[in-house]
Amino acid sequence: MKGDKCEEQGPDPKPSAPQQPTEEEEALIEFHRSYRDLFQFFCNNTTIHGAIRLVCSQHNRMKTAFWAVLWLCTFGMMYWQFGLLFEEYFSYPVSLNINLNSDKLVFPAVTVCTLNPYRYTQIKGELEELDRITEQTLFDLYKYNSSSTLVAHPRGRRDLRETLLHPLQRLRDPALPAAARRARSATSSLRDNNPQVNWKDWKIGFKLCNQNKSDCFYQTYSSGVDAVREWYRFHYINILSRLPDTFTSLEEDKLGNFIFNCRFNQVSCNQANYSHFHHPMYGNCYTFNGENNSNLWMSSTPGIDNGLSLTLRTEQNDFIPLLSTVTGARVTVHGQDEPPFMDDGGFNLRPGVETSISMRKEALDRLGGNYGDCTNNGSDIPVKNLYPSKYTQQVCIHSCFQESMVQECGCAYIFYPRPKHVEYCDYRKHDSWGYCYYKLQDAFSSDRLGCFTKCRKPCSVTSYQLSAGYSRWPSVKSQDWVFQMLSLQNNYTIKNKRNGVAKLNIFFKELNYKTNSESPSVTMVTLLSNLGSQWSLWFGSSVLSVVEMAEFIFDLMVITFLMLLRRFRSRYWSPGRGGRGAQEVASTPASSLPSRFCPQPSSPTSSPPSPDASRALTAPPPAYATLGPCPAPSSLASASSSAFPPEEP
């Protein structure tokens, strides 16, 4: 009857004991059934200190909570230390190693210049014209008559001044109030028309404009001496650039006219030991022991007697007084494969003085790549090297400025090497190059051109630390016979005496040289050692403990995946969902049906179902009996026979 409780008939079948799987039947890969089992297994078997306290004190919740918090805090502190170690490693720190070496040293190249700009015969007439216009300018501005020192001019001053572009002018200072200027002019002398020279009232400068004259500015100076020299230098550059391209021989003075005596290591120099070039501002220059020398000088003993000794002539004949206002000589020390930058690294020698320069070699090897911003040979620098030498930072900076000069102004600056198919700047051909040059010079000084950013330091640098000492030469007691010998042997004028000679000694102070080399401060070996130290400090474990942690995380992921897969299958592939689910359940054997279907005890006398009955079973009956006790086998058989009557033949 519907709603009646069914009672099971007959004795209960005894449950069969589960059979233990043999070794062959055991699964190859087994996973834990839950997170709890996995966690207990990990804490009981891991080699990480403190993990077992999380399960052995499970009956004391206070201890479990204490050890859990302590374990998590320790874990967090360890990984915080790991973060610091990795941050230090990826910052690529370097250590500076200092080594002292002692060996025979190659003597560096030494360049000496006369400080006397040369007057070329091709442009000598234009230079004399510039001198006469400068004389007129000095008279108009300062009432200074220099006719006694400059060449007399045949024409009037006004006619001369009109022939020169960019004249030097006196400019009022706009920052000074008008009342202050009137008060100062009222107190000036009224007996002559000479203006009162005061830097607070006015400045000296010359006007420069762009090509279409839409923008102009005054290149001004507060000092009249600086203004006259810079203005004269500007016009001298324009005149010098007019030398023909075919003019290659630089009318070299004989070496004996500038250098009276040359010795290295107690041996006299010869013509093969030096090379000559001309500098626009420093005149004739001579480089000793340069790269053109087939046999480089070697120093095996330090001291003044084992270096280079020069006796120089410092008197200036046919000099340009407005371009060179100093007397003496200029010297610089550099490597054989480096150009001499007289403006950057040179210094002047004083006449009548013996200058002794002691050197000490230093080498620096930087780490490139991630450890430092340097270049090995300059091939990765976006600036073309215009010098026939190796890459240096100064070479790159000067080449960068010349490159900007050619791009912006359309001509090359005469002090730097000229690129091919480019002319030197001359206001007769490039009327606005002066405006462009001073604008670029201002941008270059403030690094708006980006030259200092582009030109990285070389990774290997050899430098010479110089220290100089000075003494009077020749002495009062010896000057008579010294000048007498110089006049007889070197055609030296005795009238000049002390102001016309100077002596230079350059030598190694010691043969010990210092090498500064960079090395990585934190290597991969150091990083692993530090990580292992932190791991042992906080957990007292080893590399295998890390593998255990990785295994634990992998098992967590696998269990999570299996649980999600089981839930997905139970939701979308459960029996009774549509015709497909019914067919799957109908084709499932009775032994594999879910537990909500009552299991039927198998009888040895029961006959197998007929083929017709198996074909008629298309879907299992609704499992209403699962709501109550399971029916007896007899009642189940009768119900089955009533529910499925036999078919009529």
Side-chain angles (χ1 to χ4, degrees), residues 262-287:
C262 174
R263 289 183 307 144
F264 177 77
N265 201 11
Q266 305 298 327
V267 178
S268 299
C269 306
N270 53 42
Q271 191 173 2
N273 298 133
Y274 75 92
S275 59
H276 169 265
F277 68 95
H278 188 271
H279 193 276
M281 297 299 298
Y282 299 108
N284 286 309
C285 299
Y286 301 88
T287 299

Side-chain angles (χ1 to χ4, degrees), residues 94-109:
V94 297
S95 299
L96 185 63
N97 304 319
I98 301 177
N99 299 321
L100 291 177
N101 307 303
S102 180
D103 199 358
K104 294 176 62 176
L105 298 178
V106 178
F107 199 81

